[in-house]
Amino acid sequence: DADVTQTPRNRITKTGKRIMLECSQTKGHDRMYWYRQDPGLGLRLIYYSFDVKDINKGEISDGYSVSRQAQAKFSLSLESAIPNQTALYFCATSSSGRTGELFFGEGSRLTVL
Amino acid sequence: DQQVKQNSPSLSVQEGRISILNCDYTNSMFDYFLWYKKYPAEGPTFLISISSIKDKNEDGRFTVFLNKSAKHLSLHIVPSQPGDSAVYFCAANPGSGGYNKLIFGAGTRLAVHP
């Protein structure tokens, strides 16, 4: 089983709908992240969290919100999806090591029509 | 403005030859640099890293070189194998407050052909 699990893996929705992407991890890491991948732009940070009481905006947080329900769970919500939020979304975790190594889930592909 | 740039979207190399993937950055305060590899339908996986105080790090077939004066790093794969065909992302860690807020380049798609 994957250490970082994302659900759903694929989702097609319509403009204006609310969408939640869920992430759970078994690595025991306290730091969790949501990134978005777009062609030609690499991965960009949406939100990150140190623990359940710590939520921080990343580079592109507008239109998104997150919830850290437990140390192992970090969900990303799109309150009212729009077509330019069509992308591949990755959840990641890290320990407190200095190198910055992130452990990624397999991704959630979201299409907004 | 992109702080980490990978200017080559794609690279094609023959099996057994060297693959060289390049990355440029703008912020001299980056603490660590990392390379990630990504196969289709999978998440990125860590490949190799280098501290900003080093100029070379080697792990098997993979070597990363860091040139701080030029703000440039490169990943060398020798010898290249067909299984190395993937998208490679360069990333930098600003090292801020204990969060690993990696900044990624756009990626280079490597194709290793027989």
Side-chain angles (χ1 to χ4, degrees):
Chain A
D1 288 341
D3 293 325
V4 184
T5 303
Q6 292 183 231
T7 56
R9 293 292 311 278
N10 288 283
R11 181 72 182 268
I12 300 173
T13 190
K14 295 182 178 180
T15 297
K17 294 291 187 180
R18 183 177 188 273
I19 294 297
M20 179 181 287
L21 306 179
E22 299 186 349
C23 176
S24 63
Q25 53 117 345
T26 58
K27 297 193 73 66
H29 291 161
D30 50 12
R31 294 160 174 80
M32 297 188 73
Y33 311 77
W34 276 102
Y35 278 86
R36 164 179 172 160
Q37 183 191 356
D38 297 277
L41 294 177
L43 289 88
R44 293 179 293 165
L45 183 61
I46 307 173
Y47 270 95
Y48 59 103
S49 168
F50 189 91
D51 62 28
V52 294
K53 298 178 182 178
D54 177 76
I55 300 291
N56 303 277
K57 293 182 178 180
E59 178 188 358
I60 54 164
S61 60
D62 287 349
Y64 302 95
S65 63
V66 292
S67 174
R68 185 83 184 263
Q69 302 96 321
Q71 188 201 30
K73 296 184 182 295
F74 193 37
S75 59
L76 176 72
S77 293
L78 289 69
E79 296 302 324
S80 180
I82 56 177
N84 75 2
Q85 291 177 314
T86 293
L88 187 54
Y89 292 85
F90 288 103
C91 175
T93 73
S94 75
S95 65
S96 57
R98 280 192 64 208
T99 61
E101 182 180 350
L102 297 179
F103 297 84
F104 285 89
E106 295 181 318
S108 297
R109 183 169 295 281
L110 177 65
T111 302
V112 183
L113 302 176
Chain B
D1 190 28
Q2 282 188 301
Q3 296 187 65
V4 177
K5 295 181 181 180
Q6 294 177 257
N7 292 317
S8 298
S10 63
L11 176 67
S12 182
V13 171
Q14 191 171 20
E15 182 178 4
R17 299 290 186 109
I18 184 172
S19 295
I20 300 176
L21 295 94
N22 294 303
C23 179
D24 297 297
Y25 61 95
T26 58
N27 187 343
S28 59
M29 299 302 291
F30 286 139
D31 197 22
Y32 270 86
F33 299 90
L34 304 87
W35 285 93
Y36 277 80
K37 176 179 181 179
K38 184 184 179 305
Y39 292 119
E42 295 183 11
T45 55
F46 171 74
L47 189 57
I48 191 169
S49 66
I50 187 167
S51 164
S52 59
I53 63 172
K54 304 283 189 182
D55 55 19
K56 177 182 175 181
N57 187 29
E58 189 172 354
D59 183 2
R61 296 185 298 114
F62 303 92
T63 303
V64 57
F65 295 93
L66 176 61
N67 181 334
K68 288 185 287 294
S69 61
K71 295 190 177 68
H72 176 84
L73 64 156
S74 60
L75 174 68
H76 293 213
I77 306 173
V78 182
S80 301
Q81 300 173 353
D84 296 328
S85 297
V87 176
Y88 289 79
F89 291 101
C90 170
N93 187 2
S96 55
Y99 295 106
N100 296 328
K101 298 190 302 179
L102 298 188
I103 300 170
F104 286 84
T108 297
R109 183 177 301 277
L110 173 66
V112 180
H113 53 88

